[in-house]
């Protein structure tokens, strides 16, 4: 018995949309969007796609017409009534009405702004310009579209059976990770893998695998759509774009030096509890912590997102102690380049000294390494970053100079203002 | 969009039938059935289930009510018009109308005879009595039902997600075997795994995996339903039950000594080409070949089904040479306890000396070893054999005394009549 209606329905799509909802994005983008909407409603920004893995010739793999169709489809999306109800009515981090009525009303009427797409050599130049609160919402869907179109380009050459075996292998691979992680006393782990996922359906499967295999040790997903559909916690706090744009807008060196703290001061007024998590590495973790105001030491935790994670966490522990805080009550969220080995090692090292937590990204939702010839499905390092604000370039230093971005003279100026010396270089793979 | 009709249809089944067709059986059963129908229409036999793996407590694992429902369902089956058309019209081994009109008419009206089921301790005693041509058709479905009910007993305790991971692992495992086998020059391999399969759907998947992965090296399946549905070759010739029952019916030692050759004499009249395959081990391969009439040496090949397969094939090669035949033109079908390692080793050893072929059974369609705790899905050695014919016990000696069956005094008599001395014991696992 064939369901003719379903078949016709499935066949009438011109494209198979990758991003089908405005909340198929990371939770922290919505938190930051609301903060921007309130505090910087008039700031205009440019976000740009940057493929750090130049050996992956995106423009050769991905058809420009298909890319445009996917991006155009995202521009056609608006918040559905059910999505709006979920955002308005759901409890996030133990708190209801996290998203306020004026923000929700604006969000319900939002369409994403235009994009600029150009092929240069074997890469695409993709950028977004406009109001910060709008443009910021392009980051995750743009990355997800490019990652999945690249997956599809490889998958299109495989037949039905090879595909089945491919996914059987990927499932087996993930489940072996789950089995290594299960039973680790006190583990706290979340999915942070939306932006570099192999595909939406695969991320959704991975999240279910973690819930099934890890039980309470799996604390939730950063993806709002999956959190909503699967009735899980949506996880996330804030990201580098806040201090980067606040810094770019600074009119003097003194203002620049203050910018990263101004960001957290605004955040302090808006959020409490587990949402008060410091992201200290934008302009050097050590320098940031040394000069931080005392009220920041009372925050719930810190996120370690670049550099040697052991050093980052040790720095935070020393800093809390120096400010009279008990590190054992503090959250330390590791979110950079995680895989089972370093999750286990970091957990072992810090479990009794702080409250460690893990935001597992690319190697959770896109570990197709060595599953196809030529490793054509291996994940790669694609980012979409704020590159300018109100006409001024942004700068990121990070704890790893391989992750630094911005014009060379501006990087020099930021290093001087923030007092950054030599930094250890660590290769960036994913 | 839910297809309500399909859902209602799926839910109205009282049971989920394991065997849904009378041709969900091995092709050689149908070939032998026709031969029995023609040559021994009045012979009455008893077939019995024997669980050689007594550590598997079938009666504790499998509910008696469910077993009866499955067996009753098989008794409700009859040949469908499409199945009949396929048997009548299909080309088997390059020949049309393999199944003659009188046999087909009989088959179309057939329902399987009653069964006798009794629980004794932690095992079931399951037997079938009646006309040979009818009872013989119980063997494969009875085994498939018990194997799959045992699988289901284990699977019923697993949730949806564990099941998905289980099958992902099993698929990965099989595909690794396929990858080891592909590219072996001149490989010929068929599925012989119906009787001990994990489940019908899994066998169907395995067969597709072999076709997809091995291409022309995969020559077909013994399962008629899968051969029909997937448009493949149905593979098989004859089995031990023929000489066992012919032997049991012998009225004197002289007749007994002649019985295995009488079987092949009847077969010789009915079939030619690739269907002329000797199964020599019922009462000892060496003794059978030594005393064989010359016309047998002209047959296409031999099947090696017990004992050391290297010895069995070497014996056949020597025998052909001694009868003036060229072994390089002969088919040698290995069908006992195959797994990738011995398939590769046997192929390597015999590829340039004979035409080797492999009938891969249990470890193709039921290799769930080490995939669940306690290895509760590992395959085990279940058989369903003719134990008597017209009131006389049957005997099998085989090339491995671990596989011998029959009353002790009859085994002694057969050994004397066939001139069998010491035999090497080889453990039977699957």
């Amino acid at each position: 018995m064939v369901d003719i209606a379903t078949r016709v329905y499935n066949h009438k799509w011109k494209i198979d949309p990758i991003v089908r909802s405005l909340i198929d994005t990371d939770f922290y983008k919505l938190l930051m969007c609301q903060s921007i909407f309130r505090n910087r409603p008039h700031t205009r920004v440019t976000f740009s796609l940057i493929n750090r893995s130049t050996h992956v010739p995106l423009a050769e793999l991905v058809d420009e017409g298909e890319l445009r169709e996917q991006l155009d489809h995202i521009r056609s999306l608006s918040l559905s009534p059910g999505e709006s109800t979920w955002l308005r009515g759901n409890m996030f981090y133990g708190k209801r009405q996290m998203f306020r009525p004026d923000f929700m009303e604006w969000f319900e009427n939002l369409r994403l702004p235009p994009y600029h797409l150009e092929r240069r050599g074997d890469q695409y130049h993709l950028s977004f310009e406009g109001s910060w609160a709008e443009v910021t919402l392009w980051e995750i869907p743009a990355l997800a579209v490019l990652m999945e179109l690249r997956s599809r380009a490889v998958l299109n050459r495989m037949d039905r059976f090879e595909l089945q075996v491919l996914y059987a292998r990927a499932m087996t691979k993930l489940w072996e990770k789950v089995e290594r992680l299960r039973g680790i006393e006190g583990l706290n782990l979340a999915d942070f893998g939306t932006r570099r996922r192999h595909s939406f359906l695969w991320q959704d499967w991975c999240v279910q695998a973690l819930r099934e295999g890890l039980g309470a040790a799996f604390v939730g997903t950063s993806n709002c759509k999956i959190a909503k559909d699967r009735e899980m916690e949506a996880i996330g706090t804030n990201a580098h774009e806040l201090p980067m744009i606040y810094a770019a807008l600074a009119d003097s060196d003194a203002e620049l030096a203050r910018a990263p703290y101004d960001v957290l001061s605004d955040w302090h007024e808006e959020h409490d509890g587990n949402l008060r998590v410091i992201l200290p590495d934008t302009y050097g973790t050590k320098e940031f912590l040394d000069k931080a105001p005392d009220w920041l030491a009372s925050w719930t935790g810190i996120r370690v997102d670049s550099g040697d994670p052991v050093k980052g966490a040790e720095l935070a522990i020393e800093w809390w102690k120096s400010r009279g805080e008990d590190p054992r009550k503090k959250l330390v969220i590791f979110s950079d380049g995680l895989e089972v080995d370093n999750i286990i090692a970091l957990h072992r090292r810090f479990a009794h000294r702080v409250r460690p937590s893990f935001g597992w990204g690319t190697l959770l939702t896109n570990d197709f390494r060595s599953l196809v010839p030529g490793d054509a499905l291996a994940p790669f390092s694609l980012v979409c970053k704020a590159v300018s604000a109100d006409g001024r370039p942004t700068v990121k230093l990070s704890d790893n100079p391989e992750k630094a971005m911005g014009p060379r003279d501006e990087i020099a100026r930021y290093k001087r203002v923030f007092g950054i010396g030599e930094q250890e270089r660590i290769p960036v793979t994913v």
Side-chain angles (χ1 to χ4, degrees), chain A:
Chain A
M1 266 184 275
V2 175
D3 176 2
I4 299 174
T6 301
R7 276 193 63 168
V8 171
Y9 178 80
N10 286 337
H11 283 237
K12 80 188 176 109
W13 290 90
K14 268 194 313 191
I15 61 167
D16 178 5
I18 290 169
V19 173
R20 298 179 180 209
S21 157
L22 282 187
I23 68 163
D24 180 9
T25 192
D26 282 340
F27 181 62
Y28 77 173
K29 292 303 284 198
L30 302 188
L31 287 180
M32 289 191 291
C33 184
Q34 174 170 254
S35 183
I36 296 161
F37 173 79
R38 291 182 66 207
N39 300 306
R40 292 290 194 278
H42 305 301
T43 302
R44 296 189 66 81
V45 299
T46 302
F47 272 57
S48 264
L49 190 85
I50 301 153
N51 180 8
R52 293 172 182 155
S53 306
T54 47
H55 66 277
V56 177
L58 274 180
E60 277 173 21
L61 292 167
V62 171
D63 179 74
E64 186 174 328
E66 282 180 44
L67 175 53
R68 286 185 186 278
E69 281 176 335
Q70 291 291 344
L71 297 171
D72 290 342
H73 180 76
I74 292 171
R75 289 201 65 214
S76 78
L77 295 172
S78 64
L79 206 60
S80 78
E83 290 162 351
S84 177
T85 301
W86 182 76
L87 287 172
R88 285 172 183 270
N90 196 44
M91 189 147 73
F92 298 103
Y93 287 91
K95 188 177 161 186
R96 291 214 187 272
Q97 294 193 295
M98 173 81 66
F99 298 101
R100 287 162 221 184
D102 59 336
F103 172 72
M104 285 307 305
E105 203 169 305
W106 169 85
F107 195 13
E108 281 164 359
N109 289 296
L110 176 75
R111 295 286 191 289
L112 290 194
Y115 59 89
H116 307 278
L117 175 65
E118 202 181 306
R119 183 180 171 148
R120 292 189 206 157
D122 60 8
Q123 297 296 333
Y124 284 120
H125 282 239
L126 176 60
S127 61
F128 310 92
E129 280 178 53
S131 145
W132 186 8
E134 295 179 6
V135 167
T136 191
L137 294 179
W138 259 118
E139 177 183 354
I140 307 299
L143 291 171
V145 157
L146 272 153
M147 293 306 292
E148 186 160 346
L149 282 178
R150 185 271 203 151
S151 300
R152 289 185 184 180
V154 178
L155 300 171
N156 282 343
R157 300 194 296 259
M158 300 170 71
D159 62 33
R160 194 175 65 89
F161 203 85
E162 287 177 304
L163 289 172
Q164 207 178 8
V165 171
L166 173 71
Y167 285 104
R169 282 182 163 171
M171 286 178 182
T172 301
K173 198 172 182 185
L174 180 61
W175 197 250
E176 277 161 12
K177 299 186 189 195
V178 167
E179 289 187 332
R180 288 188 61 204
L181 291 172
R182 72 173 18 155
I184 293 181
E185 178 79 20
L187 183 69
N188 274 299
L189 188 146
D191 156 41
F192 276 20
T194 302
R195 68 189 60 207
R196 304 256 177 76
R197 68 192 182 198
H198 168 80
S199 72
F200 172 75
L201 290 176
W202 180 247
Q203 182 185 15
D204 190 37
W205 192 91
C206 292
V207 166
Q208 293 175 74
L210 290 193
R211 173 157 70 176
E212 195 76 20
L214 299 183
F218 177 60
V219 295
T221 171
S222 64
N223 187 295
C224 296
K225 180 162 173 53
I226 295 175
K228 171 179 172 289
D229 293 349
R230 302 289 174 194
E231 300 193 23
M232 292 177 181
E233 293 288 325
I235 302 286
T237 61
N238 56 67
H240 299 105
E241 70 177 279
L242 294 179
M244 285 167 72
I245 291 176
Y246 274 54
L249 297 174
D251 285 323
S252 65
D253 286 358
E255 243 180 74
L256 173 59
R258 217 176 47 233
Y261 309 109
D262 289 346
V263 167
L264 299 184
S265 172
D266 284 349
W267 199 262
H268 192 87
E269 280 170 33
E270 292 169 306
H271 302 294
D272 47 31
N274 279 355
L275 285 175
R276 287 186 176 168
V277 173
I278 305 165
L279 178 65
D281 67 327
T282 316
Y283 304 117
T285 294
K286 185 167 186 328
E287 297 73 15
F288 175 90
L289 293 178
D290 284 348
K291 295 171 200 154
D294 277 334
W295 55 264
L296 253 189
S298 71
W299 272 34
T300 309
I302 205 162
R303 183 154 74 92
V304 179
D305 196 49
S306 66
D308 177 347
V310 169
K311 273 191 202 159
E314 294 289 358
L315 269 178
I317 289 171
E318 283 315 301
W319 175 66
W320 279 315
K321 283 184 185 166
S322 74
R323 303 286 176 113
E325 296 283 331
D326 182 356
R328 286 172 303 179
K329 293 181 177 157
K330 300 294 189 181
L331 204 57
V332 175
I333 303 173
F334 296 98
S335 60
D336 183 34
L338 293 181
E339 178 50 314
V340 174
D341 283 340
N342 57 3
I343 291 173
I344 291 174
L346 289 168
H347 183 81
R348 191 170 295 153
R349 177 167 185 136
F350 292 106
H352 300 292
R353 300 171 60 205
V354 297
R355 291 161 47 211
S357 184
F358 298 88
W360 197 6
T362 310
L363 293 179
L364 166 61
T365 59
N366 200 354
D367 191 0
F368 282 66
R369 291 175 298 177
S370 76
L371 295 184
V372 296
D375 223 358
L377 283 176
F380 62 105
S381 188
L382 192 68
V383 296
C384 182
K385 292 285 182 189
V387 292
S388 73
D390 287 347
R392 303 175 189 186
T394 64
V395 170
K396 184 182 171 190
L397 299 178
S398 156
D399 284 332
N400 178 4
E402 294 288 332
K403 281 188 164 183
M405 15 171 313
R408 191 174 299 183
D409 55 340
E410 284 295 299
I411 288 180
R413 177 178 154 239
Y414 275 61
K415 281 190 159 183
R416 176 175 53 74
V417 169
F418 290 103
I420 308 295
E422 271 308 299
Q423 290 177 303
E424 183 187 359
R425 284 189 184 272
I426 301 174
V428 176
T429 51
V430 291

